[in-house]
Amino acid sequence: PPPPMQWLMRPLARWYQSNVCHELSKYGLKLDDIRNEWHPDVQTALSRLTPEELSNRNKRLKRAMDLSLKHSELNKETQAAVNPLIGYLPIERAREERLERLLHK
């Protein structure tokens, strides 16, 4: 059987993930859109995006800010089409490269 803490944390983690996805979908955002842009791994990953990917990201962020300022959200059909968990930033690769550079100094 799983340890007691895991037994308690799994449902809590699923509930949290579901709520975060729901909130992001209201504005048409993806999880990668709200990552800390000042983190070195995120900066590296952002620099590797194609111009089209970067433009799409900027459009999503602008739309989300506009909706938020208007105290509005996307219609239900558009929200259903958004999957916030599909990532587009190559963060893992950037992290691995940064750690490798640190190890070989």
Side-chain angles (χ1 to χ4, degrees):
M5 201 60 169
Q6 257 188 350
W7 179 80
L8 179 65
M9 292 303 288
R10 271 198 191 127
L12 186 60
R14 270 188 243 132
W15 171 83
Y16 181 74
Q17 181 181 19
S18 173
N19 281 349
V20 169
C21 286
H22 178 70
E23 290 299 314
L24 290 173
S25 294
K26 285 182 183 180
Y27 301 102
L29 291 171
K30 295 182 178 232
L31 190 58
D32 283 349
D33 292 336
I34 62 169
R35 292 191 184 270
N36 180 358
E37 292 184 14
W38 296 102
H39 191 282
D41 297 340
V42 175
Q43 286 180 342
T44 301
L46 285 171
S47 72
R48 293 181 177 161
L49 291 179
T50 65
E52 182 183 359
E53 290 171 321
L54 195 56
S55 174
N56 289 340
R57 177 180 190 272
N58 289 333
K59 287 175 188 175
R60 283 191 302 273
L61 290 168
K62 286 178 186 178
R63 176 179 61 189
M65 284 186 274
D66 184 52
L67 288 168
S68 178
L69 287 171
K70 293 176 180 176
H71 300 282
S72 183
E73 54 189 55
L74 293 174
N75 62 47
K76 298 294 180 192
E77 295 80 30
T78 307
Q79 286 182 36
V82 175
N83 186 345
L85 297 180
I86 296 177
Y88 60 91
L89 287 176
I91 293 175
E92 286 301 317
R93 183 173 148 215
R95 180 179 295 127
E96 289 169 4
E97 290 173 0
R98 177 178 56 84
L99 293 174
E100 190 174 316
R101 281 192 305 272
L102 289 173
L103 288 173
H104 289 94
K105 275 191 173 182

